[in-house]
């Protein structure tokens, strides 16, 4: 099923370009997250949002910005892409009322390459 | 030092072997412990969770937590080629807190037929 979708799935861009990665969900969850995954580093939290008006920085927010356009949409922007932002990017959602352990549901990922 | 440490492997085992995957964590405030499984070119999916010391079984999978030593394990019995994936441990303080999860680096497992 496609409860959490990400576009594009793959993107190659050049240094200095502005890039937007989009995430949409049909799960009705309030909480949304953006992670990046690098080999050997696991998942690192970039930004998270508990609702449309609540956006918080994660561990590695420098060089990134986000926009929560609606409950179902959470976009990640790279204002001026650099090669070390080459990574796999995941969007995730969660419903705090559904589980005390905050199960997160991930999209399929966007593979971004910055040349 | 990362809050959650996990050996990235890779780990290669023959079909039918018992697999042991391990993580350590540093913050005693963490209350929930999870294992996510990530197949190639897919997002992670929750495999198991637990919130207390001891063992939790689900079919061929057993999650084990030792809070006194801050150690998390996942055991896979009778491993199958379909178990080939990256396994990520994760921990956090729960939904009533920030709900943030801290992930380990992930261990890549290959089960050979």
């Amino acid at each position: 099923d496609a409860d959490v979708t990400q576009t594009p799935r793959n993107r190659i861009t050049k240094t200095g370009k502005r890039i937007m990665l989009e995430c949409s969900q049909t799960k009705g969850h309030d909480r949304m997250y953006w992670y990046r995954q690098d080999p050997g580093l696991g998942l690192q939290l970039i930004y998270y949002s508990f609702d449309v008006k609540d956006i918080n920085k994660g561990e590695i927010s420098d060089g990134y910005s986000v926009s929560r356009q609606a409950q179902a949409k959470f976009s990640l922007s790279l204002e001026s892409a650099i090669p070390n932002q080459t990574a796999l990017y995941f969007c995730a959602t969660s419903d705090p009322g559904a589980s005390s352990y905050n199960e997160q549901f991930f999209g399929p990922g966007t593979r971004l390459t910055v040349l | 030092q990362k809050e959650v440490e996990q050996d990235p492997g890779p780990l290669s085992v023959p079909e039918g072997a018992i697999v042991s995957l391990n993580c350590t964590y540093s913050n005693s405030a963490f209350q929930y412990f999870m294992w996510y499984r990530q197949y190639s070119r897919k997002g992670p999916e929750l495999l198991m969770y637990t919130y207390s010391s001891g063992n939790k079984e689900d079919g061929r999978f057993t999650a084990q937590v030792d809070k006194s030593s801050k150690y998390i394990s996942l055991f896979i019995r009778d491993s199958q080629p379909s178990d080939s994936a990256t396994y990520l441990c994760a921990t956090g303080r729960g939904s009533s807190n920030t709900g943030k999860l801290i992930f380990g680096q992930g261990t890549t497992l290959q089960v050979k037929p």
Side-chain angles (χ1 to χ4, degrees):
Chain A
D1 59 14
D3 292 333
V4 184
T5 57
Q6 293 183 236
T7 56
R9 293 295 312 279
N10 292 281
R11 182 71 183 268
I12 300 173
T13 190
K14 294 182 178 180
T15 297
K17 293 291 188 181
R18 184 177 188 274
I19 294 296
M20 179 180 285
L21 308 182
E22 297 185 332
C23 176
S24 294
Q25 53 115 347
T26 58
K27 301 185 79 68
H29 291 173
D30 286 330
R31 294 184 177 181
M32 298 187 75
Y33 309 81
W34 274 105
Y35 292 91
R36 66 176 280 175
Q37 186 175 40
D38 299 274
L41 293 179
L43 288 166
Q44 296 175 280
L45 183 63
I46 306 172
Y47 271 95
Y48 60 104
S49 171
F50 284 175
D51 62 40
V52 175
K53 298 180 180 179
D54 181 8
I55 293 178
N56 305 277
K57 293 183 177 181
E59 307 167 76
I60 56 164
S61 58
D62 288 348
Y64 302 94
S65 63
V66 291
S67 174
R68 184 83 183 266
Q69 300 95 326
Q71 185 205 38
K73 295 184 182 295
F74 193 34
S75 300
L76 176 72
S77 294
L78 288 67
E79 297 301 326
S80 180
I82 56 177
N84 76 0
Q85 291 177 313
T86 294
L88 194 54
Y89 289 85
F90 287 102
C91 174
T93 73
S94 73
D95 176 3
S99 67
S100 56
Y101 50 91
N102 197 44
E103 179 180 1
Q104 294 185 14
F105 297 83
F106 286 81
T110 294
R111 185 170 297 278
L112 176 65
T113 302
V114 183
L115 302 176
Chain B
Q1 181 185 3
K2 289 178 70 68
E3 290 188 279
V4 179
E5 296 277 1
Q6 182 177 7
D7 184 346
L11 185 62
S12 182
V13 302
E15 183 175 354
I18 296 174
V19 176
S20 173
L21 305 171
N22 307 293
C23 291
T24 58
Y25 64 96
S26 58
N27 191 339
S28 58
F30 293 144
Q31 297 176 303
Y32 297 93
F33 307 93
M34 286 144 277
W35 285 94
Y36 280 76
R37 179 173 59 193
Q38 182 180 14
Y39 289 115
S40 181
R41 302 186 185 280
K42 301 286 187 180
E45 290 182 308
L46 182 65
L47 180 63
M48 294 187 71
Y49 80 94
T50 185
Y51 57 88
S52 59
S53 283
N55 295 345
K56 181 177 182 180
E57 280 194 27
D58 184 1
R60 296 183 295 109
F61 299 87
T62 300
Q64 184 178 82
V65 176
D66 182 345
K67 289 188 175 181
S68 63
S69 59
K70 298 187 181 66
Y71 203 78
I72 312 165
S73 298
L74 178 70
F75 299 97
I76 307 175
R77 293 185 299 278
D78 187 25
S79 56
Q80 302 295 309
S82 59
D83 296 329
S84 297
T86 296
Y87 291 81
L88 301 117
C89 61
T91 183
R93 301 186 189 185
S95 298
S96 60
N97 202 281
T98 64
K100 288 194 299 181
L101 295 180
I102 310 299
F103 286 86
Q105 296 93 320
T107 300
T108 299
L109 170 68
Q110 182 182 26
V111 181
K112 295 184 176 180

